[in-house]
Amino acid sequence: MARLPRRCSLTSILCVLLLLSLSFILIGTAWLWRRQPLNGRPLTVPHSQERQPNRHPIDRLMETAETEWYKIMAKETHDLSSAAQAYRDRRGRHPPPGFDEWFSAAQRLDVVIIEDFFDQIYHDLAPFWAIEARILRRQAKHLPHVISVRKGKASMNTDAPKGMARDRMNNWLNMTATIQEWLPDVDIPINFMDESRVVVPWEEMNKYMKVERSSRVIIPLPDVVTALSGLEDVDDNPGEPITVEWAGAASYWDLARVGCAPDTPAREVPAATNFSGPPPTPSGFPKGSYYGFVQNWTAAKDPCLQPDLRESHGTFIEPISISTTHSLVPIFGGSKLPLNNEILIPPAMYWTENPFFSGGEDIHGDDWQNKKSRVMWRGSASGGRNRKENWTRFHRHRLVSMLNGTQVRLAERNPEGPGQGPNFVLQSYQTYRLTVTRYMDLGTWLDSVTDAAVVHLVCFPGTGNVKCPYTDSYFEVKKSLDMKYQYGYKYLPDIDGNSYSGRYRGFLRSTSLPIKATIYSEWHDSRLIPWLHFVPMDNSFVDMYGILDYFIGTGVAIINEEGDKVVEGAHDDAAKKIAMAGKDWAERVLRKEDMVIYMMRLLMEYARVCDDQRTRLGFVGDLDSSMGAE
Ligand SMILES: *[C@@H]1O[C@H](CO)[C@@H](O)[C@H](O)[C@H]1NC(C)=O
Ligand SMILES: *[C@@H]1O[C@H](CO)[C@@H](O)[C@H](O)[C@H]1NC(C)=O
Ligand SMILES: *[C@@H]1O[C@H](CO)[C@@H](O)[C@H](O)[C@H]1NC(C)=O
Ligand SMILES: *[C@@H]1O[C@H](CO)[C@@H](O)[C@H](O)[C@H]1NC(C)=O
Ligand SMILES: *[C@@H]1O[C@H](CO)[C@@H](O)[C@H](O)[C@H]1NC(C)=O
């Protein structure tokens, strides 16, 4: 039998004491958390998280997001041969020529190397394997606004007008020039417009994708070609331009939905024609959501799955410019709809040092506890060409209206239809079972927790100033607010403009919490995890009050018996956690270094797919050496 060593008794006493004090702390905390009277009225509300057994759906979504992140991080590679192997496993080919240089550049720049982070490149380039390389080279050479690299030197051929278009071209040229000495010879035709340009009908795309899949082979070493052929042929003999047809006049919805799969809800739904009144709004939880909150971000962003977007997002009501082709041509741009076929590159606005978009390279906001627990949004009423007949369907107008306490209060009391606003429809309080509506109406709450306003009404026909006869009575035009002041607020909704939002990277890098709704895809999509790095929101915004209610609660601090301030329903720590995780992560994987490494990988792949020998081209340096070592 083992005897107890004498000294243990002292340890045991200490243990017991420790346990005792822990229980006191627990009991004390429970005491503090008892519900306390508000203005003399007792709070008789049961525990607020009754939907799921004792849990709010957002708790669960945050937990799942974290698990997801650990799974992805486990795939990080730290040496050339495991990176090359991860490539072969995921892509089914040898890496492109120059992969070793890419890998060492990535290591030098301290880039997190996870093959999944480059998925967008393969999604975008895959169909081009079905187009003859020679045709691709010629198209790329002849399209307007081309950035070219020859012998390690980047240059540009464009007549883009001065202003926004030229700025974007310059920024992209600068981005390319940063890595020019490592780049193969390429011609990169650029779309500098806000709106995306290419929609190949799904059936055709499906054929192209099949061709790509069948071309995937890990070819035997003796057959591998390791050097690109270059672009001398098109430089010496550019040939005639290949005609590309551009459509502009039709409704964008009808041009776009041909890119949706035949079995998707949107494919056969024609464009709407009557845009008066508020857009259709889900009467319960958005489809596919987890108790009302976004759980599949890819699906939430996809217009093919949500035909309602044809009449509730400016892109489909009336874009400022449409110039769309249905043929597959290589065009690079900063954002696109999931159904578009552009090749994504990091947006010029993320490269610029212009503080209007970045908030300033070194300004990311104060510590969390020093910020206002409120919602801030400023922006112009862009998103398309809003007019008297259809402004009620534009997403930016809707966001600002739904955050406006007065408008919401008027809607709640609307005798013609309870919950009907001019450009939104409120859901019943029963749907999201908010904490806050147990104490006050939505309007009163919004008055105290939001500051959202347009800075320009972008009227059409133009009035030449910020005023706009058909929307003036609904919106107060406020001064725009530098991003560094916006960072003084904890909650920053971020939604599309004419296309993606150029502020997003700045918001992610800030100490505030971005709440994101979009229908646009960007280069960084596979590296950002919803509910871990940002809060995802449905494009109808019906979940917005649920989101804000979870994080901000009633917004009214009450003093409990112990003299502590508590806010009913608030999950301030959860908000801080996502805000900080997003910031840390953006500083790890959305740096300019990360953008150029993405760009370098993309252009190496693009150079391969433009090469007549593309099926045999590859990097096998890692295999040689490992075979030599055996
Ligand atoms: C890119 O732009 C920055 C800022 O204007 C400049 O300092 C840098 O030299 C440019 N880089 C290249 C490669 O042109
Ligand atoms: C458009 O819809 C509104 C409200 O739904 C309706 O009152 C109006 O009559 C419709 N206009 C046309 C031209 O159908
Ligand atoms: C999310 O939705 C997309 C599109 O419907 C689907 O392909 C994907 O499997 C879904 N993801 C999950 C995890 O359910
Ligand atoms: C928006 O309204 C204007 C004016 O009625 C119309 O010309 C435009 O085509 C509308 N948008 C769509 C997609 O019909
Ligand atoms: C809020 O709505 C009211 C009523 O429509 C309007 O008068 C006011 O200007 C709006 N406020 C803002 C900031 O847009």
Side-chain angles (χ1 to χ4, degrees):
M1 266 202 355
R3 263 180 297 137
L4 287 172
R6 237 173 258 159
R7 241 183 279 154
C8 186
S9 55
L10 182 61
T11 321
S12 319
I13 290 169
L14 282 176
C15 281
V16 169
L17 278 178
L18 187 67
L19 276 175
L20 274 175
S21 44
L22 267 178
S23 358
F24 278 125
I25 290 171
L26 279 175
I27 292 167
T29 316
W31 176 260
L32 285 182
W33 276 92
R34 281 179 325 140
R35 303 196 174 247
Q36 302 301 325
L38 168 74
N39 301 335
R41 267 184 298 124
L43 300 185
T44 53
V45 185
H47 199 269
S48 67
Q49 295 158 6
E50 58 202 7
R51 242 167 307 212
Q52 281 297 281
N54 298 320
R55 309 204 53 197
H56 192 285
I58 292 179
D59 293 334
R60 167 76 198 288
L61 290 164
M62 284 179 63
E63 207 176 276
T64 315
E66 207 163 321
T67 315
E68 178 85 358
W69 187 75
Y70 281 114
K71 272 195 223 152
I72 291 178
M73 287 311 284
K75 302 186 189 179
E76 186 174 0
T77 51
H78 300 277
D79 59 81
L80 177 61
S81 71
S82 15
Q85 199 46 50
Y87 183 103
R88 290 185 188 98
D89 293 345
R90 200 162 178 85
R91 314 292 170 207
R93 308 176 190 278
H94 290 301
F99 189 78
D100 50 348
E101 281 174 44
W102 175 84
F103 182 84
S104 51
Q107 271 203 322
R108 237 183 354 264
L109 296 175
D110 197 22
V111 165
V112 178
I113 303 171
I114 295 176
E115 189 53 35
D116 306 36
F117 287 179
F118 303 93
D119 283 356
Q120 187 72 43
I121 293 175
Y122 298 88
H123 174 84
D124 296 348
L125 287 182
F128 292 98
W129 285 84
I131 312 285
E132 263 183 83
R134 156 181 87 77
I135 305 274
L136 285 178
R137 293 197 296 277
R138 231 168 93 199
Q139 279 176 329
K141 180 94 186 164
H142 284 292
L143 282 161
H145 318 300
V146 176
I147 292 176
S148 295
V149 180
R150 292 292 184 279
K151 297 194 166 59
K153 192 99 189 67
S155 64
M156 172 164 86
N157 182 6
T158 178
D159 56 2
K162 279 221 167 60
M164 190 201 75
R166 182 58 71 117
D167 282 354
R168 288 184 186 177
M169 291 302 295
N170 283 336
N171 269 301
W172 272 315
L173 176 63
N174 183 285
M175 189 190 293
T176 313
T178 321
I179 43 169
Q180 58 191 2
E181 62 265 41
W182 297 308
L183 295 179
D185 288 2
V186 277
D187 289 321
I188 314 163
I190 300 261
N191 167 29
F192 56 70
M193 280 168 43
D194 281 343
E195 295 86 356
S196 35
R197 315 280 307 269
V198 187
V199 186
V200 179
W202 186 89
E203 287 74 3
E204 210 154 311
M205 203 59 180
N206 194 38
K207 272 189 240 156
Y208 295 159
M209 296 307 252
K210 277 190 188 146
V211 172
E212 189 275 335
R213 270 194 299 277
S214 64
S215 77
R216 270 183 227 167
V217 202
I218 311 256
I219 49 171
L221 291 194
D223 297 341
V224 173
V225 174
T226 56
L228 291 154
S229 327
L231 295 176
E232 265 141 41
D233 65 336
V234 279
D235 286 345
D236 293 346
N237 175 19
E240 287 302 302
I242 295 168
T243 324
V244 182
E245 281 181 34
W246 300 97
S251 120
Y252 191 62
W253 176 261
D254 286 333
L255 288 176
R257 66 191 168 89
V258 303
C260 297
D263 59 350
T264 53
R267 175 64 188 255
E268 299 305 330
V269 182
T273 51
N274 184 349
F275 296 92
S276 67
T281 308
S283 56
F285 292 148
K287 234 186 343 183
S289 67
Y290 181 69
Y291 295 95
F293 300 96
V294 172
Q295 65 175 334
N296 183 334
W297 182 229
T298 317
K301 287 163 59 186
D302 191 349
C304 292
L305 302 176
Q306 291 163 73
D308 280 0
L309 285 168
R310 78 191 187 284
E311 40 184 340
S312 61
H313 195 289
T315 290
F316 301 118
I317 314 297
E318 195 179 338
I320 301 282
S321 34
I322 311 181
S323 175
T324 294
T325 180
H326 285 319
S327 32
L328 186 65
V329 283
I331 294 188
F332 295 71
S335 77
K336 64 173 176 179
L337 299 170
L339 51 80
N340 284 127
N341 307 108
E342 266 93 343
I343 302 164
L344 290 178
I345 51 180
M349 276 189 251
Y350 292 165
W351 189 258
T352 169
E353 313 264 302
N354 181 347
F356 184 78
F357 297 111
S358 65
E361 274 304 293
D362 305 316
I363 298 169
H364 306 296
D366 205 346
D367 289 344
W368 183 258
Q369 67 271 15
N370 300 333
K371 294 172 192 277
K372 296 195 182 80
S373 268
R374 297 178 63 178
V375 182
M376 162 53 64
W377 192 85
R378 285 289 182 281
S380 68
S382 65
R385 185 175 289 117
N386 77 83
R387 308 177 189 239
K388 184 164 170 270
E389 295 84 357
N390 59 24
W391 72 269
T392 55
R393 305 308 186 83
F394 279 76
H395 51 284
R396 287 192 161 196
H397 294 78
R398 179 164 71 251
L399 181 87
V400 174
S401 291
M402 288 178 73
L403 289 171
N404 178 330
T406 312
Q407 280 200 40
V408 167
R409 201 164 22 248
L410 287 170
E412 291 189 298
R413 296 177 190 161
N414 185 352
E416 282 165 25
Q420 293 254 341
N423 57 343
F424 60 91
V425 183
L426 297 172
Q427 288 192 320
S428 145
Y429 284 0
Q430 298 311 310
T431 313
Y432 278 87
R433 299 198 218 171
L434 309 181
T435 300
V436 68
T437 50
R438 294 173 183 150
Y439 304 106
M440 58 189 99
D441 62 62
L442 270 183
T444 306
W445 177 56
L446 293 171
D447 282 344
S448 68
V449 299
T450 69
D451 181 351
V454 294
V455 301
H456 200 296
L457 284 164
V458 206
C459 209
F460 192 88
T463 54
N465 65 24
V466 294
K467 294 293 211 180
C468 187
Y470 54 87
T471 41
D472 274 345
S473 60
Y474 302 104
F475 302 100
E476 180 195 340
V477 173
K478 292 195 180 172
K479 278 226 176 71
S480 72
L481 197 62
D482 282 353
M483 275 171 64
K484 63 179 177 201
Y485 299 117
Q486 300 192 27
Y487 296 161
Y489 295 73
K490 287 181 183 171
Y491 303 97
L492 304 177
D494 188 48
I495 60 170
D496 299 333
N498 295 335
S499 59
Y500 81 104
S501 155
R503 281 169 276 195
Y504 190 33
R505 177 169 175 262
F507 280 5
L508 284 163
R509 297 205 304 164
S510 79
T511 50
S512 298
L513 178 64
I515 300 173
K516 181 75 176 171
T518 181
I519 57 174
Y520 284 90
S521 303
E522 293 180 53
W523 76 284
H524 60 210
D525 289 352
S526 66
R527 41 187 82 192
L528 293 174
I529 301 179
W531 298 112
L532 179 67
H533 302 129
F534 66 96
V535 170
M537 177 163 72
D538 191 75
N539 283 295
S540 66
F541 311 147
V542 293
D543 49 349
M544 183 163 62
Y545 303 133
I547 290 168
L548 297 178
D549 179 73
Y550 173 83
F551 291 119
I552 306 180
T554 60
V556 185
I558 52 170
I559 309 287
N560 65 18
E561 279 172 2
E562 309 302 319
D564 291 328
K565 268 194 186 175
V566 292
V567 179
E568 186 70 22
H571 294 79
D572 189 69
D573 285 349
K576 179 179 175 184
K577 185 175 172 189
I578 302 176
M580 293 311 137
K583 179 177 192 298
D584 291 347
W585 193 233
E587 280 163 6
R588 253 340 240 126
V589 305
L590 302 184
R591 302 164 307 154
K592 289 190 168 176
E593 290 85 342
D594 302 301
M595 294 187 215
V596 294
I597 287 299
Y598 183 94
M599 188 83 168
M600 188 174 166
R601 169 74 85 87
L602 169 65
L603 295 179
M604 284 162 39
E605 292 291 1
Y606 174 62
R608 171 161 67 174
V609 81
C610 289
D611 195 297
D612 291 337
Q613 303 219 66
R614 62 193 178 190
T615 51
R616 294 177 59 199
L617 278 165
F619 166 79
V620 289
D622 59 314
L623 298 180
D624 285 335
S625 60
S626 67
M627 280 163 75
E630 267 163 27

